[in-house]
Amino acid sequence: MLRIYGMLDSGNCYKPRLLMALTGSPFEHVEFSTRDGSTRTDTFLGRNPIGQCPLLELEDGRFLAESGAILNYLGEGTDFVPADPYDRARMLQWMFFEQNQHEPAIAVRRALTVYPERKAAATPERMKTTLERGNSALEVMDRALGGSAFFAGERPSLADIALYPYTRDAAEGGFDLGPFREVTAWLTRVEALPGFKPKEWTPAG
């Protein structure tokens, strides 16, 4: 059986769990934390030299890191990867946007806000910058969703799964989603998808 090593509180680790829930695919969740040193052991570093989660273990013993790569692997052959080349490229466009524009602002500001060990890095300048950049990313998303139900068209794709977790938790970082009506409507559409499970869900829970 596939195993996903991850931290329940992490949006990046939630992404593959959410995809597996939406596709009804069996897997085992193995809880690991980057905060307690468990991903810095020799054993874990032998599996992923970066020492981060999520980490996917295939049934043949191979390992795959990085949430976007894991989503692409697990999404192969599912309805969450568009068949049309252009729509598939649009999906990837938004997945790259999530990693390059969205996460470095919204997820980072949340981490600086909620994790005590990150408080020292939460300087006024950094909090101001991440707030501005995060709101800019939300504005881009809001405009894009004004013309379609999901980011790669009228059907959900891996792009929506990639963007959902940290957008859903943006308020924990001090972001006000109220002005972004298209984004809040999209969050509701994602949560209405058959098989949807919240971040705290695991196959055993």
Side-chain angles (χ1 to χ4, degrees), residues 162-184:
L163 282 159
Y164 175 82
Y166 286 120
T167 305
R168 182 68 180 82
D169 289 345
E172 296 179 8
F175 292 94
D176 179 11
L177 294 180
F180 305 106
R181 295 182 180 180
E182 298 292 348
V183 169
T184 54

Side-chain angles (χ1 to χ4, degrees), residues 178-194:
F180 305 106
R181 295 182 180 180
E182 298 292 348
V183 169
T184 54
W186 163 78
L187 289 172
T188 300
R189 287 194 292 274
V190 172
E191 292 162 5
L193 294 174

Side-chain angles (χ1 to χ4, degrees), residues 12 36 87 144:
N12 279 328
D36 64 8
D87 289 340

Side-chain angles (χ1 to χ4, degrees), residues 108-123:
V108 167
R109 197 174 201 276
R110 174 187 175 271
L112 293 170
T113 302
V114 304
Y115 297 135
E117 66 271 22
R118 301 288 296 275
K119 296 287 187 182
T123 63

Side-chain angles (χ1 to χ4, degrees), residues 22-142:
L22 292 170
T23 57
S25 303
F27 72 102
E28 177 185 354
H29 169 77
V30 183
E31 183 71 9
F32 264 77
S33 176
T34 57
R35 299 171 63 199
D36 64 8
S38 58
T39 63
R40 307 303 303 178
T41 64
D42 289 342
T43 298
F44 195 90
L45 291 172
R47 298 168 175 175
N48 179 15
I50 302 174
Q52 294 180 348
C53 290
L55 180 67
L56 174 67
E57 182 178 1
L58 307 184
E59 293 173 343
D60 62 8
R62 290 180 294 172
F63 292 91
L64 185 64
E66 300 294 335
S67 61
I70 294 171
L71 285 180
N72 271 280
Y73 180 85
L74 296 176
E76 187 72 24
T78 73
D79 291 338
F80 289 90
V81 177
D84 179 77
Y86 177 72
D87 289 340
R88 191 163 58 249
R90 287 177 63 206
M91 175 193 78
L92 291 171
Q93 168 190 309
W94 285 107
M95 293 178 75
F96 297 150
F97 167 86
E98 191 271 338
Q99 287 290 290
N100 293 317
Q101 304 295 325
H102 183 280
E103 184 178 340
I106 295 175
V108 167
R109 197 174 201 276
R110 174 187 175 271
L112 293 170
T113 302
V114 304
Y115 297 135
E117 66 271 22
R118 301 288 296 275
K119 296 287 187 182
T123 63
E125 293 80 10
R126 194 172 188 194
M127 297 302 283
K128 179 177 183 290
T129 298
T130 51
L131 182 63
E132 291 172 350
R133 291 178 178 175
N135 279 325
S136 293
L138 291 168
E139 289 172 4
V140 170
M141 294 167 64
D142 211 58

